[in-house]
Amino acid sequence: MKLIETMRKGAALAAAAVLLGGAVPAQAYQYGWLAGVRAVDLDVRGTRGQVQEYDGKYYKGVHGDLGFWNAGSFGLFDFSAKDLGSTEEAVNVRFDRSNGFKVSGKWETMHHRLNLIQAGVISNGQYFGPTGSTLATITPADELVMRRTESELNVSKTSLVDPRHRLAVQYWRADKYGSSAFSAGPRGGSNIMIGRINIDNTTEDVTVSVGVGAGADSQVTVDLVRNEFTDRAAVVARETGTAATSALGGLLKPHYSDSEMTAAELRFRTDVRDNLAVSGAFTGRRRHAVQNDMSNDFAVATVNAAYRPSKKLSVLGKVYFRGNQVRETQGIKRSLAEANPPNRHQIDKNHLRTDLSATYRATQRVTVKGSYRLELINRRDPRTYTIGSGFFFDGTFFPMNAWRSEVAGQETRHVLTGQAKAALPLGIEAEATLKRLQANRPAFVNQPNQQDDASAGLTVPLPADLTLSLLANYIQERNKTHSFDRNYSSLRNTYRAGLDGALFNKVFFGADGAWDNVRYFADVGFASPAAAFPTNNYREAGMNNRQTNTTAGLHARANLPKGFVVSGNGSYTWSDVSTPMTYRNAALGYTIDDYTPYDIRIARGTMAVDYTPLSYDSLTARVSYSIQDWVDKIDNANSGRVSISQVGLTAKF
């Protein structure tokens, strides 16, 4: 870990030398600055876990922005700070000297709101908790938020004679801190462990890059990378000490092993001729887990060639190889062998991929493209997972190992793609794509060995400055190579439409909608492992998952007299998911007729008014109001509403 600290201090000293070294005489320059201030207010009802999943900003009080830049023959200096006073602050600094030295840095933080985890099941809108105990109770009112802070420092020197000659150093760091819900399955019985765990870890990365020119039309760059991860979060044990739970033991949240990664990469590019360019990269990387002493080695190589034999035809070829080998300790090898004697190693993988594509511009209005991809994948010690014997209510019995899921050892994929774009009469633009995947078998049961993907798009200009956009997509995939999911298939249809228009070049408006329909089927039953308890389970013909997502939206903007601009947008989404089945629990007295009940309604809307005085266009005042409403018809613990009001003033000079 000391290596990162030493390199970080070196990068900081280099940055100081760039900023302080070399006096520049006084000279004329240009400059500008920006300042903004906003008063914000937040109103919350219910939980914010879903409705503001990626927005943990502090919407209360005063936020501000500040920026300054100047430029001259000495170079360029640029500074900006956004959302000061909130929990989403960001600071960026950039200084480019005219002698080729550059220094830039950034610091920003964001808050990711996390969802709670329920321990029980929902039957007909009613919540049933687990029969055992939980480690802790987490309610919808609890705030589960992770803060992520990212910082970066870049120092570089580029030759003024030949820009291909370049030396650069980058230091990057990410800190995560907060809390989340965590669950772990039981060691026995039906106990489910739920608890709050804290998040506290740091990732640091230092990169040294050297670029040189080779000949008149070639360049080579070498990167050396060092990455370190440290986990400081507390270990959380499962609940122990009572008759109901003492047998569980173990950890709810273990210590995530600290890790170190060292990598080297060589990249090159050369123009062989005016119409032929070749580029590529070779990378070697080792990641080492400090606590358990395991290592993971990666070797990656890629070569690309772009050839343009004529103005109408261009050809692109790519070759990619990635090898991955896990270096286990002797203790881990023994534990793997004891658990499953044929498997004495983690899965090692070699992946070779070749691509060949051609683009042909048949006419000024028609362009066609075709491509072929071949992938060869080899896995050492692939796993075989089996399902024990199962009993059903109707007397159906599956013997031991009747269902098997085998990870593919040798995998071959062929992918053919064809695409056409055409500019039709009356300004109509059309585009269509066809794609076919064929494999000897997929890696896992939930992946296809056959897939057909077709899409088409149309853009139609209409009278009165209206434009209509249409898009349709169809995907069908199948997997008939696994005994576990011998009848797996899925079908997905997506349709989108949009209408945009303008009036007098002052009013802009539009409406859009989308409908997404998914069907997923797998030959899986919900069986009981013991003949004495078959009455809880009914034989299912298969897992027939259904998903429907529909979205409708509106947006508008009006440039009014005297510097006023009014804008607004809104959308409404409803999503339904179901997996019909029949299951009953005699002990708790509930029956489940849907394995994945899901009925969500999401409404979002924003209105804003901006005012810029015609006689003083450096000032802009803004008033905005936004609302987000998330309604879970199945589990109201996820429902919530958030509305945000903001009033602000921005000045630019």
Side-chain angles (χ1 to χ4, degrees):
M1 299 296 176
K2 293 182 179 180
L3 179 61
I4 286 283
E5 179 66 15
T6 301
M7 299 181 74
R8 180 185 64 81
K9 291 180 178 179
L13 291 174
V18 172
L19 291 173
L20 300 177
V24 177
Q27 51 199 301
Y29 61 88
Q30 297 177 326
Y31 71 93
W33 62 272
L34 174 147
V37 61
R38 291 179 301 283
V40 297
D41 186 58
L42 171 71
D43 179 52
V44 179
R45 299 180 185 179
T47 177
R48 299 167 66 184
Q50 294 279 6
V51 72
Q52 281 192 295
E53 182 180 1
Y54 293 99
D55 188 359
K57 188 180 289 187
Y58 180 66
Y59 288 102
K60 188 174 182 180
V62 177
H63 301 172
D65 303 325
L66 185 63
F68 174 77
W69 67 271
N70 63 12
S73 57
F74 67 92
L76 170 69
F77 177 80
D78 190 3
F79 169 84
S80 66
K82 298 181 180 180
D83 288 319
L84 298 175
S86 75
T87 54
E88 303 287 309
E89 296 174 324
V91 178
N92 288 271
V93 181
R94 174 186 171 189
F95 184 37
D96 297 348
R97 289 175 60 91
S98 55
N99 58 5
F101 274 108
K102 295 182 179 181
V103 177
S104 64
K106 73 174 184 178
W107 179 89
E108 57 186 31
T109 182
M110 61 86 69
H111 283 63
H112 182 183
R113 198 169 300 282
L114 304 172
N115 290 323
L116 60 91
I117 297 177
Q118 299 262 41
V121 297
I122 297 173
S123 174
N124 299 322
Q126 183 178 358
Y127 174 79
F128 291 85
T131 57
S133 62
T134 59
L135 179 67
T137 300
I138 302 177
T139 68
D142 291 331
E143 288 286 290
L144 301 173
V145 179
M146 180 196 72
R147 182 186 69 186
R148 182 180 186 274
T149 301
E150 180 180 348
S151 53
E152 182 180 304
L153 175 64
N154 298 279
V155 183
S156 67
K157 175 65 170 72
T158 302
S159 171
L160 299 180
V161 178
D162 188 345
R164 296 176 298 172
H165 298 321
R166 184 174 181 269
L167 173 64
V169 178
Q170 180 191 73
Y171 171 75
W172 176 88
R173 172 174 177 146
D175 295 278
K176 296 181 181 179
Y177 184 81
S179 61
S180 70
F182 199 90
S183 68
R187 293 288 182 90
S190 55
N191 296 280
I192 298 178
M193 299 288 100
I194 299 291
R196 177 194 293 265
I197 63 172
N198 72 311
I199 302 169
D200 188 359
N201 60 68
T202 298
T203 304
E204 294 181 282
D205 188 290
V206 171
T207 302
V208 179
S209 179
V210 179
V212 295
D217 302 306
S218 302
Q219 180 177 3
V220 177
T221 303
V222 176
D223 292 346
L224 301 177
V225 183
R226 175 71 174 184
N227 175 281
E228 295 176 358
F229 170 82
T230 305
D231 181 27
R232 295 178 296 273
V235 174
V236 179
R238 294 183 179 182
E239 187 179 16
T240 58
T242 66
T245 59
S246 59
L248 297 178
L251 298 176
L252 184 64
K253 188 272 174 187
H255 175 80
Y256 299 132
S257 178
D258 297 348
S259 66
E260 302 170 342
M261 188 274 289
T262 303
E265 181 179 63
L266 183 146
R267 303 189 305 275
F268 69 92
R269 175 184 169 82
T270 181
D271 294 331
V272 181
R273 297 199 301 265
D274 290 342
N275 62 348
L276 176 61
V278 178
S279 63
F282 303 95
T283 304
R285 181 170 70 249
R286 166 169 287 189
R287 183 171 294 279
H288 175 245
V290 176
Q291 269 70 32
N292 60 24
D293 203 33
M294 283 182 57
S295 296
N296 209 343
D297 293 341
F298 296 88
V300 181
T302 179
V303 177
N304 311 311
Y307 177 52
R308 192 177 181 89
S310 68
K311 293 182 178 181
K312 291 187 175 184
L313 178 64
S314 60
V315 181
L316 179 63
K318 298 181 180 180
V319 178
Y320 169 87
F321 172 81
R322 185 177 188 269
N324 170 218
Q325 181 176 3
V326 181
R327 299 185 181 275
E328 308 92 340
T329 61
Q330 290 300 319
I332 295 215
K333 288 182 180 180
R334 283 195 299 270
S335 64
L336 288 172
E338 291 171 359
N340 194 348
N343 300 321
R344 298 179 180 272
H345 302 276
Q346 300 286 335
I347 297 178
D348 297 331
K349 179 180 176 181
N350 292 324
H351 187 172
L352 176 65
R353 185 179 71 217
T354 61
D355 292 270
L356 181 64
S357 64
T359 302
Y360 180 67
R361 191 177 182 88
T363 67
Q364 286 293 106
R365 292 177 170 270
V366 178
T367 301
V368 295
K369 180 179 179 180
S371 65
Y372 170 71
R373 168 178 291 182
L374 171 64
E375 296 185 66
L376 303 175
I377 302 173
N378 173 267
R379 297 178 180 87
R380 185 184 72 162
D381 289 336
R383 301 289 186 269
T384 297
Y385 300 95
T386 59
I387 307 299
S389 58
F391 298 85
F392 292 91
F393 176 77
D394 61 2
T396 303
F397 170 72
F398 280 84
M400 180 71 71
N401 300 334
W403 283 336
R404 299 167 57 87
S405 174
E406 301 172 352
V407 178
Q410 303 290 334
E411 189 178 352
T412 303
R413 302 177 188 171
H414 304 272
V415 182
L416 281 171
T417 305
Q419 185 181 57
K421 296 181 180 180
L424 304 178
L426 304 178
I428 300 174
E429 296 181 358
E431 180 178 350
T433 302
L434 293 175
K435 181 179 178 181
R436 168 72 177 185
L437 164 69
Q438 183 72 45
N440 64 329
R441 57 169 301 170
F444 306 104
V445 296
N446 60 344
Q447 296 176 341
N449 71 312
Q450 298 176 9
Q451 184 189 74
D452 295 296
D453 186 343
S455 62
L458 198 65
T459 302
V460 182
L462 302 175
D465 287 333
L466 295 175
T467 301
L468 175 66
S469 300
L470 301 173
L471 175 66
N473 179 244
Y474 167 89
I475 300 177
Q476 184 182 43
E477 57 185 35
R478 297 162 295 278
N479 176 11
K480 299 182 179 181
T481 63
H482 284 82
S483 62
F484 181 73
D485 276 351
R486 58 176 63 88
N487 289 319
Y488 156 73
S489 64
S490 72
L491 177 66
R492 180 167 192 159
N493 297 309
T494 302
Y495 305 96
R496 293 186 175 90
L499 182 67
D500 292 279
L503 294 174
F504 313 112
N505 204 30
K506 292 183 178 296
V507 178
F508 307 91
F509 57 90
D512 55 83
W515 184 72
D516 188 33
N517 182 43
V518 181
R519 295 292 183 267
Y520 175 99
F521 178 82
D523 187 10
V524 176
F526 298 86
S528 173
F533 304 99
T535 55
N536 283 353
N537 302 271
Y538 291 78
R539 172 73 175 112
E540 300 296 321
M543 181 180 289
N544 189 10
N545 180 262
R546 308 166 185 172
Q547 305 177 32
T548 302
N549 305 292
T550 308
T551 299
L554 297 170
H555 59 272
R557 174 187 173 93
N559 299 327
L560 304 179
K562 301 187 180 299
F564 284 94
V565 177
V566 179
S567 60
N569 63 78
S571 66
Y572 185 76
T573 300
W574 55 101
S575 178
D576 296 293
V577 180
S578 65
T579 305
M581 64 168 289
T582 303
Y583 174 86
R584 64 192 182 99
N585 189 306
L588 295 182
Y590 64 78
T591 298
I592 298 178
D593 56 9
D594 192 340
Y595 188 62
T596 58
Y598 195 80
D599 187 356
I600 303 295
R601 313 297 168 89
I602 309 169
R604 296 184 175 94
T606 299
M607 283 289 297
V609 177
D610 294 87
Y611 172 62
T612 302
L614 299 180
S615 58
Y616 205 67
D617 58 6
S618 297
L619 288 178
T620 299
R622 180 179 176 86
V623 179
S624 67
Y625 175 80
S626 64
I627 185 170
Q628 301 181 62
D629 188 45
W630 183 292
V631 178
D632 191 329
K633 297 287 188 178
I634 304 297
D635 184 3
N636 59 12
N638 292 324
S639 298
R641 175 184 296 179
V642 172
S643 58
I644 302 168
S645 304
Q646 300 191 59
V647 178
L649 180 66
T650 302
K652 299 179 182 180
F653 295 95

